[in-house]
Amino acid sequence: MWFQERGEGRHITNMKTLKIINFILIFILVIFIQDIWWFRFQPDFFLLFVVVSCIYFKSESGAAVSFMVGFIQDILFSLNFLNTLTKTVIAAIINLIKDKLILNEDSLAVVLTAIFSPLAVIFKAGLQYLIYRQNLIISVFLIEIFWVTLLNLVAAPAFIYLFKKSVLYE
Amino acid sequence: MNGSRTIIIVFLILALSLNLAGIGKSSIVSLVKSSFLFVFSPVHWISHSSAGSLTQFFSFIKSAGELNRKNQELIQENDKLKAELLSCQSLRKENENLSLALTFAPSYRNEKLIPARVISRVYDLWSSQIIINRGKFHNVEKGYAVISSDGLVGRVVEVGSYSSKARLILDVESAVSVKSLKSEIIALAVGRGDNLLKLKYVPSGSKVVTGEELVVSPSSELSFGIPVGIISKIKESETALFQNIELTPKVDFSKLDIVYVVSGKG
């Protein structure tokens, strides 16, 4: 019997390793897409990553993933650390409210994407003003909110599907 | 539950500290950033190269029908240019002779151009930047101007060993002192976060016109005379102290591939 249990234990470890590898691969894919994106406006895949991680993972893991996602986004695509703070705050809020919303996980992910896409832009603009004293032109700011929210909502179902299939094996 | 809250609060404090440390240009933050830049520069390079190949492939398919016609046009143009080149060579020689006669050293600015390839680009509301494949190893330093054949692109803000980040003039944090060669006004060209620049501190009543070209001013840290943009819109209000002017950059940032880092600060 002992060898059977040992075999199962190894299988679980292998599955965990595979899930972590898939998780990293999806993150690299997100970086890749962000890097090759041709158009002026783009979906915030990093935000989708944060929302989905906070919903499907435990609170601590969701917060840690969100911090790392924001940090790497800042290192690669930004000149300050606004994304790190924004993503961590969003993770904290999601962890606070996710149990209070009576929705299945997939619908919750889409709803939270719809809520946090414009909020993330507004929050970043606020931080930019408060910390870096940078004003934004209102028209440019509103257009950004519109496009980011729209593109995030378009990309969300496909992203959630990919995440569930490759990381959660559902 | 308490444990997870503590962890979340720790991450929040950490994120806030990073921003506050970033304002003071902390050396630890710079070190971390340049290390990450070094580690991820191959990722940028690979994704940019593959994106470039994809774009080229699709544009090739799109333009296959036009290739023959364009080829004929190019052959004709080439012949014409060859003839022009011959006359230019004689003019160049004459110019060199005249410069020598005036004891006007051609390299009076003591600057060197370091050619670089753009390996990644980000243009959004928050930051407009490019990553180039030249760094400390190639004598690139923070603050150096980045130009293209059309004009000013931006300024180097972070330097890694083999790659650097440059903030574009479109970035909301970018500001360049510019001068009009026609009306001789001096103003500040600042980024708006989109594809245009805003010209600040042009007093109402100044005689500026649409289509006027602006170059880097002599008071700037960057080299004087680098083209920056063309005035595309002027909104003058009777009550305002300054004019509201829009500037279209000379450089087409969507097509940036090869740029030059100007070693030296003006």
Side-chain angles (χ1 to χ4, degrees):
Chain A
M1 284 302 271
W2 65 271
F3 57 83
Q4 202 176 344
E5 281 171 15
R6 221 174 111 181
E8 279 173 8
R10 195 181 295 157
H11 176 69
I12 291 167
T13 317
N14 285 345
M15 278 300 283
K16 267 190 179 172
T17 315
L18 204 63
K19 282 178 180 182
I20 292 168
I21 291 169
N22 283 348
F23 182 81
I24 294 167
L25 284 176
I26 292 186
F27 189 63
I28 291 172
L29 180 72
V30 165
I31 295 174
F32 185 76
I33 294 171
Q34 193 90 2
D35 224 2
I36 63 166
W37 195 265
W38 292 279
F39 309 106
R40 167 77 179 79
F41 299 102
Q42 54 185 307
D44 189 351
F45 282 109
F46 294 100
L47 179 75
L48 294 178
F49 215 91
V50 167
V51 170
V52 173
S53 303
C54 287
I55 290 170
Y56 293 105
F57 294 163
K58 284 181 193 164
S59 302
E60 312 86 279
S61 314
V65 166
S66 306
F67 178 83
M68 281 314 294
V69 165
F71 184 73
I72 293 175
Q73 186 186 3
D74 278 331
I75 293 290
L76 294 177
F77 303 106
S78 172
L79 295 168
N80 44 45
F81 287 98
L82 286 178
N83 289 305
T84 314
L85 190 54
T86 311
K87 261 65 177 182
T88 316
V89 169
I90 288 173
I93 299 170
I94 293 177
N95 282 324
L96 275 177
I97 63 167
K98 72 174 177 184
D99 296 329
K100 288 164 190 158
L101 297 171
I102 310 156
L103 282 168
N104 69 42
E105 286 168 335
D106 294 354
S107 314
L108 188 63
V110 176
V111 169
L112 291 179
T113 303
I115 294 171
F116 285 107
S117 299
L119 279 185
V121 179
I122 295 166
F123 187 72
K124 260 169 45 176
L127 283 177
Q128 186 136 1
Y129 178 73
L130 284 174
I131 302 179
Y132 298 97
R133 293 279 155 204
Q134 290 298 324
N135 290 318
L136 295 169
I137 290 166
I138 193 80
S139 58
V140 179
F141 173 63
L142 292 175
I143 292 169
E144 180 85 10
I145 289 179
F146 172 76
W147 277 110
V148 169
T149 310
L150 184 74
L151 292 172
N152 278 358
L153 284 173
V154 170
F159 186 83
I160 294 164
Y161 177 79
L162 180 72
F163 191 89
K164 280 173 71 180
K165 284 279 169 198
S166 51
V167 179
L168 306 171
Y169 282 96
E170 280 181 11
Chain B
M1 194 65 187
N2 278 338
S4 69
R5 271 195 189 166
T6 316
I7 290 170
I8 292 168
I9 290 167
V10 167
F11 279 122
L12 277 172
I13 293 168
L14 207 59
L16 195 63
S17 321
L18 272 174
N19 276 286
L20 297 175
I23 296 171
K25 312 283 178 208
S26 153
S27 56
I28 301 166
V29 175
S30 303
L31 187 71
V32 171
K33 279 190 138 186
S34 60
S35 312
F36 268 83
L37 195 63
F38 173 70
V39 171
F40 279 96
S41 59
V43 179
H44 283 310
W45 188 81
I46 290 165
S47 50
H48 190 75
S49 311
S50 50
S53 312
L54 269 174
T55 317
Q56 275 176 8
F57 176 71
F58 285 119
S59 59
F60 173 74
I61 290 172
K62 206 175 154 188
S63 61
E66 289 180 25
L67 279 178
N68 192 31
R69 188 180 55 80
K70 276 198 173 167
N71 190 31
Q72 291 301 320
E73 280 176 16
L74 285 171
I75 289 168
Q76 283 174 6
E77 200 180 332
N78 193 30
D79 290 343
K80 195 180 155 195
L81 286 171
K82 271 183 188 168
E84 280 179 13
L85 183 67
L86 282 172
S87 69
C88 281
Q89 277 171 345
S90 63
L91 283 171
R92 187 179 163 186
K93 187 72 192 160
E94 191 184 343
N95 187 23
E96 278 172 9
N97 290 340
L98 285 169
S99 294
L100 277 173
L102 289 165
T103 62
F104 189 79
S107 57
Y108 65 100
R109 277 183 192 153
N110 197 24
E111 287 162 357
K112 212 175 90 184
L113 295 183
I114 305 165
R117 187 175 280 271
V118 178
I119 55 171
S120 176
R121 60 185 91 184
V122 179
Y123 314 128
D124 62 23
L125 187 60
W126 319 108
S127 64
S128 301
Q129 55 162 330
I130 51 169
I131 297 176
I132 54 172
N133 65 347
R134 291 287 181 267
K136 270 181 207 152
F137 189 74
H138 310 95
N139 299 324
V140 173
E141 283 182 29
K142 203 171 161 181
Y144 281 4
V146 180
I147 61 169
S148 76
S149 51
D150 296 324
L152 184 66
V153 171
R155 199 187 298 215
V156 176
V157 283
E158 280 171 25
V159 185
S161 302
Y162 298 95
S163 58
S164 312
K165 263 187 196 177
R167 176 180 285 140
L168 303 182
I169 52 172
L170 302 175
D171 192 284
V172 284
E173 286 189 49
S174 162
V176 185
S177 174
V178 290
K179 185 182 179 180
S180 164
L181 294 175
K182 198 176 168 192
S183 61
E184 299 216 323
I185 54 135
I186 290 181
L188 204 62
V190 294
R192 303 190 339 166
D194 59 358
N195 294 326
L196 298 168
L197 301 168
K198 190 178 172 185
L199 202 59
K200 281 177 126 179
Y201 310 124
V202 178
S204 290
S206 294
K207 285 175 186 170
V208 282
V209 288
T210 313
E212 218 171 300
E213 188 176 331
L214 289 131
V215 297
V216 173
S217 89
S219 58
S220 170
E221 277 184 346
L222 307 172
S223 306
F224 167 59
I226 303 172
V228 177
I230 291 169
I231 293 176
S232 49
K233 206 189 233 179
I234 304 170
K235 270 189 211 166
E236 201 168 355
S237 149
E238 284 181 7
T239 51
L241 204 58
F242 300 110
Q243 296 186 47
N244 193 352
I245 298 175
E246 234 176 57
L247 203 63
T248 305
K250 286 283 279 184
V251 176
D252 182 355
F253 289 94
S254 62
K255 289 175 185 164
L256 269 187
D257 188 23
I258 303 288
V259 292
Y260 302 91
V261 180
V262 185
S263 74
K265 296 179 188 175

